[in-house]
Structure formats: C-alpha cells, structure tokens
Amino acid sequence: MSGLEEAEAMGATVYHAVTKRTDAGYVTAGGRVLGVTCTAPTAGEALRNAYRAAEGIRFEGVHFRRDIGARNHR
C-alpha cells in the first residue's frame, strides 16, 4: 500500500480493517480494508477532502465507492 501517510498529512483519518503491517509497509488480503474520513467546517467540504485523500491511496486491486454522501453533500 502507498499513500497512507500522504492521506493523513491531508488531514484524513484512515481506519484499517483487513491490513497487516510488515517490514515493507502495510499489505492487505483484499476486501473492504480501509475507511477514510475527514472533518471540515461543512459536510460537503469534509466529503470532498475524504475522497481526495482516498484517491491517493494505492494497492493492487484498489477500488473505492464514489457514492457515499453523494445525495446530500456534493
């Protein structure tokens, strides 16, 4: 995995579910492995910041939902 430190430097909190820290860094066996959240003065800004941070996280097979919060805060 790469981009975790950068996401946190952007103000995101990254919650790990199915990851393992190794000498080489974090690895995953797949599935829903991370939650990325941000805070901001408005919900829309927090949502945009969280997606921006999530987009920088990379690993084999990475995929993230783009619909969370879309109805009310985009």
Side-chain angles (χ1 to χ4, degrees), residues 38-51:
C38 287
T39 60
T42 68
E45 187 179 350
L47 181 65
R48 286 187 296 276
N49 292 344
Y51 275 110

Side-chain angles (χ1 to χ4, degrees), residues 10-35:
M10 295 172 70
T13 301
V14 180
Y15 296 94
H16 293 250
V18 188
T19 64
K20 180 179 178 181
R21 188 175 188 144
T22 68
D23 291 337
Y26 284 97
V27 296
T28 178
R32 293 184 179 156
V33 299
L34 300 172

Side-chain angles (χ1 to χ4, degrees), residues 1 4 8-9 16 22 24 27 29 33 36 39-41 47 58 63 68-69:
M1 296 181 136
L4 296 170
E8 291 175 344
H16 293 250
T22 68
V27 296
V33 299
V36 179
T39 60
L47 181 65
R58 301 279 183 234
H63 173 77
I68 299 173

